[in-house]
Amino acid sequence: MSTSRRTVIAAAAAAGLAAAAVGPGAGEAHAGSGDSAAPRRARFGELADGTRVDIWTLACGGIRLKVLSYGGIVQSLEVPDRHGRPANVSLGFADLESYVERSPYFGALIGRYGNRIANGRFTLDGRTYELPRNDNGHSLHGGDLGFDKRVWRVEPFTRRGEVGLVLTRTSPDGEMGYPGTLEVRVEYVLTRHGDFRIDYEATTDRPTVVNLTNHTYFNLAGEGSGSILDHRLEVAASRYTPVGETLIPTGELARVAGTPFDFRRAKPIGADIREGHPQLLFGRGYDHNLVLDKGITAEPEHVITVSEPTSGRVMRIATTEPGVQFYSGNFLDGTLAGTSGRVYRQSDGFCLETQHFPDSPNQPSFPSTVLRPGRTYRTTTVHSFSAD
Ligand code: GLA
């Protein structure tokens, strides 16, 4: 990002974005960055069993983030436009009941396994495990009570130039059919450079499979502002994993060249979405894993850029992961009213879920999602915001 762009973001923070997040008694602004606010907690609601759900608000680098202890949900992500005006660029709800009753994974932390496992079944070390079939006979996003529907322990922290939250949870052996007690630790971090970073970690006491991600739906013009089809998307992926009718990968790594899946040069998301490509019919649009050319990396590498022409907002994504599920909000159908009360219609938001490939436990040629005792699962994804 250029210095001038960073300056716009820092100026926006100074002008009130961060100040609004601080409020009276909200903790001290972080020394050094001058624009951060220590995380503060408020009550968001209560689950049917009386469990309190908190909403945490934190700000740094011109970005303001709100996170729920329920589902580790990114409830709001405010980012300045080219004039320094903030807007919430993530789809969501204003109340807990909507998240519990009807959320299509808005903002949620997904586990134990992001995306689908075919027929809700996999075999590991000769043993077959059965998972809940919550999506056309397949298991989606960890089953019907995945990590998106659990209450997480949340601890705030403030470091030099960063503020964040540590979310932890012990997923018991056998939860949703998955073997092993899984200790999960996820950090949501805002940096003074306008980055929102997510660090995932997990360990197990028995061999298992893990594929964690975050399911934020973005609209860089602001949630509830309409379609994302004019957003320009660029992804460093020469291949993708085609799927069958029920969105299970066929196992092939097909070339994107000459297909609507070619985002190697920036183009509007809507440019080819109405092409009669059979893969687009299966997903009612894009709902596909793009195979990142860089593969698995020890450090996050920049692979995706999304820009929104009217606001000038730009989001760059760097990840350690080998794939990204690109979902163009196909199943939004005008039946949900979002955070600001506006209705979400088809393609009013998009997801870029960085992760391993769908159904890897049943696809021997895909990068492995197996985690064994003594090893630590570790992945990182960074969303960097700026404005042009
Ligand atoms: C993922 C899936 C989609 C859909 C959405 C949530 O992106 O691949 O098919 O389930 O989550 O609606």
Side-chain angles (χ1 to χ4, degrees), residues 72-94:
I73 288 170
V74 171
Q75 192 265 350
S76 167
L77 181 63
E78 284 182 33
V79 176
D81 68 5
R82 64 164 71 89
H83 303 296
R85 289 179 305 221
N88 173 14
V89 298
S90 69
L91 275 57
F93 295 116

Side-chain angles (χ1 to χ4, degrees), residues 288-351:
H288 293 81
N289 169 63
L290 302 176
V291 178
L292 300 171
D293 293 335
K294 70 169 187 74
I296 300 170
T297 43
E299 296 299 321
E301 287 187 16
H302 170 233
V303 282
I304 300 170
T305 304
V306 193
S307 58
E308 197 284 307
T310 57
S311 66
R313 290 191 185 88
V314 178
M315 175 171 72
R316 290 159 55 92
I317 298 181
T319 187
T320 57
E321 287 289 75
V324 60
Q325 183 77 14
F326 170 44
Y327 173 57
S328 50
N330 315 324
F331 300 118
L332 298 173
D333 60 1
T335 56
L336 300 175
T339 322
S340 57
R342 306 263 302 167
V343 168
Y344 297 144
R345 298 170 62 87
Q346 192 175 44
S347 293
D348 278 2
F350 64 90
C351 302

Side-chain angles (χ1 to χ4, degrees), residues 104-105 115-116 140-141 215 217 247 287 325 327 331 353:
Y105 305 96
N115 211 274
R116 293 174 180 77
L140 176 66
H141 296 332
H215 207 300
Y217 290 62
L247 303 182
D287 194 351
Q325 183 77 14
Y327 173 57
F331 300 118
E353 302 151 61

